[in-house]
Amino acid sequence: MKILAINSTIPNYVVDGLIYGLKKIDGIEVVDIPRMDFLYKDATFDALQKTGNRGATLYGLLDDVVNVIGKRTFWQRDIEEYDLILFCDIASDYKLFNQLYKNKKLSHKLIIIDGYDSPSIFPFFSIKKRLKDEISLFFKCYTKVPYFKREFETCYTQYGIKKQKKIIHKILNYFFSKRMTIPISMSIPANFIDKSVVEIKSKSFVDYNVDPFLTSIFNNTNDIGIWKPVYASATDYIIDLNNSKFGITTKRAGWDCLRHYEYAAKGVILCFKNLHDKPSGCAPFGLSEQNSIVYSTEHDLIAKIELLGATEISKLLNNSFKWVENYSCEKVATYFLQQIDIYFKNLNKHAIQ
């Protein structure tokens, strides 16, 4: 299978993990346009500094393939040779998408990967700007191709409506049943998962805190959740994960975050604030009280941790590792391909009927 991945060279955890996973599957050739320099082993220090966690986890890992290098040159000429064409940043590349969608030889190959923090689909985030500058976008066909989305809340937030109104809700429910987005999540390289570090845990919490209300647990309440002042390098971050038993996480710009997967991969039990408020259709998927500590207040968190014995901690860790193993880049990429196959089978089935 040949895949063309059109991107904006802006690091995005969903996209970057997916591309990494696809490139690890035998029989799949992925040509990234432009070249996603930060994914490759020859990534410069400056390039890695512009990625999340300064290059930890997902970046600077891939070998470039000679055959792929050559195909980046004059790629437009060979575009019909690809089986799938991924749009990894539709907000940046919608003009090219619109152009290719008009081509009957290509329109059925187009896939949108929406890794944005917003629960709205394109172009319904930044509605005011779109209405002012490019109102025609609202009449395009972005949901007529497989549309993979990380953040999903409700039918009405999907279309940029923040307040629930019964009539509008019913209308959107009707359209949503015909314009279903496909769930997708962030992922982590399988070789990043390390169960052996459980034996070297020497401290309670990861230093990186994203909950400003944990005042008695964390003394450094300044710069809450700002990665830069906490860790001087990506290596320091990994060392802290290896040494820590628990890690604080919560919803920020969106519910899904690479932090969840990084923590679990290094044997850090997730302490997830208000996880029960997360919509079921929104990543991360599969987290619960069986594999993490779900809390609402500092008192609640402390009380739940104090009740944990060695048996309970071991069970949480085992379940946490099982969870993160299901979200390796390789497995998420395989799931992605399976969902595309299901999408087109259903499409053909309805066409025959």
Side-chain angles (χ1 to χ4, degrees), residues 167-312:
I167 296 178
I168 295 177
H169 192 183
K170 289 182 179 180
I171 294 172
L172 293 180
N173 265 330
Y174 172 79
F175 283 107
F176 181 70
S177 64
K178 297 175 184 286
R179 297 184 178 184
M180 180 67 74
T181 55
I182 306 171
I184 194 169
S185 71
M186 297 180 189
S187 55
I188 197 164
N191 59 11
F192 190 84
I193 301 171
D194 185 2
K195 295 182 180 181
S196 68
V197 297
V198 171
E199 304 299 326
I200 65 171
K201 302 291 183 182
S202 59
K203 58 196 288 284
S204 294
F205 288 95
V206 175
D207 288 337
Y208 186 67
N209 174 33
V210 293
D211 183 354
F213 296 99
L214 300 181
T215 54
S216 68
I217 296 177
F218 295 92
N219 295 323
N220 52 332
T221 54
N222 295 326
D223 295 324
I224 293 294
I226 305 298
W227 192 83
K228 185 176 179 180
V230 178
Y231 303 104
S233 69
T235 301
D236 290 343
Y237 174 57
I238 301 304
I239 291 174
D240 192 30
L241 298 190
N242 290 342
N243 290 329
S244 303
K245 298 176 184 178
F246 304 100
I248 305 301
T249 193
T250 185
K251 178 187 179 183
R252 301 185 77 188
W255 281 99
D256 205 16
C257 179
L258 193 61
R259 175 176 60 254
H260 312 324
Y261 308 89
E262 289 173 332
Y263 284 13
K266 298 303 182 185
V268 177
I269 296 173
L270 292 175
C271 300
F272 207 128
K273 186 173 185 178
N274 298 328
L275 177 63
H276 293 314
D277 292 338
K278 183 187 74 68
S280 60
C282 179
F285 307 106
L287 283 176
S288 69
E289 292 178 343
Q290 300 302 310
N291 50 29
S292 57
I293 297 172
V294 181
Y295 77 98
S296 55
T297 65
E298 183 176 57
H299 175 76
D300 183 32
L301 174 61
I302 293 172
K304 286 182 176 178
I305 289 178
E306 287 180 345
L307 287 174
L308 294 176
T311 301
E312 290 79 14

Side-chain angles (χ1 to χ4, degrees), residues 55-155:
T57 314
L58 278 176
Y59 303 104
L61 300 175
L62 292 172
D63 290 306
D64 213 350
V65 181
V66 173
N67 191 42
V68 169
I69 294 172
K71 290 187 177 181
R72 292 192 184 102
T73 303
F74 205 1
W75 60 271
Q76 297 94 330
R77 187 186 65 181
D78 305 319
I79 196 167
E80 292 184 10
E81 296 180 4
Y82 292 95
D83 300 294
L84 298 175
I85 302 173
L86 312 186
F87 276 82
C88 303
D89 189 350
I90 188 64
S92 297
D93 295 315
Y94 64 85
K95 291 182 180 179
L96 177 60
F97 176 93
N98 294 339
Q99 176 186 338
L100 298 185
Y101 189 81
K102 294 176 183 178
N103 186 330
K104 292 182 179 180
K105 293 182 179 180
L106 300 176
S107 58
H108 64 287
K109 300 180 179 182
L110 306 183
I111 314 289
I112 293 175
I113 317 297
D114 182 342
Y116 305 116
D117 291 329
S118 170
S120 302
I121 59 175
F122 182 79
F124 291 92
F125 46 83
S126 303
I127 286 183
K128 290 182 179 179
K129 179 182 183 304
R130 302 298 178 191
L131 285 173
K132 181 180 179 181
D133 301 334
E134 302 163 282
I135 193 171
S136 63
L137 293 179
F138 293 92
F139 301 96
K140 301 296 183 181
C141 34
Y142 304 108
T143 51
K144 292 185 179 180
V145 304
Y147 192 116
F148 286 82
K149 183 153 186 63
R150 171 194 122 200
E151 298 287 327
F152 171 77
E153 292 182 358
T154 63
C155 301

Side-chain angles (χ1 to χ4, degrees), residues 4-12 15-16 19 30-40 72 75 85-90 92-93 96:
L4 180 66
I6 298 172
N7 67 92
S8 61
T9 70
I10 297 174
N12 179 296
V15 170
D16 302 341
I19 298 301
V30 182
V31 179
D32 43 325
I33 300 294
R35 183 181 188 264
M36 301 166 75
D37 292 340
F38 43 80
L39 288 181
Y40 297 95
R72 292 192 184 102
W75 60 271
I85 302 173
L86 312 186
F87 276 82
C88 303
D89 189 350
I90 188 64
S92 297
D93 295 315
L96 177 60

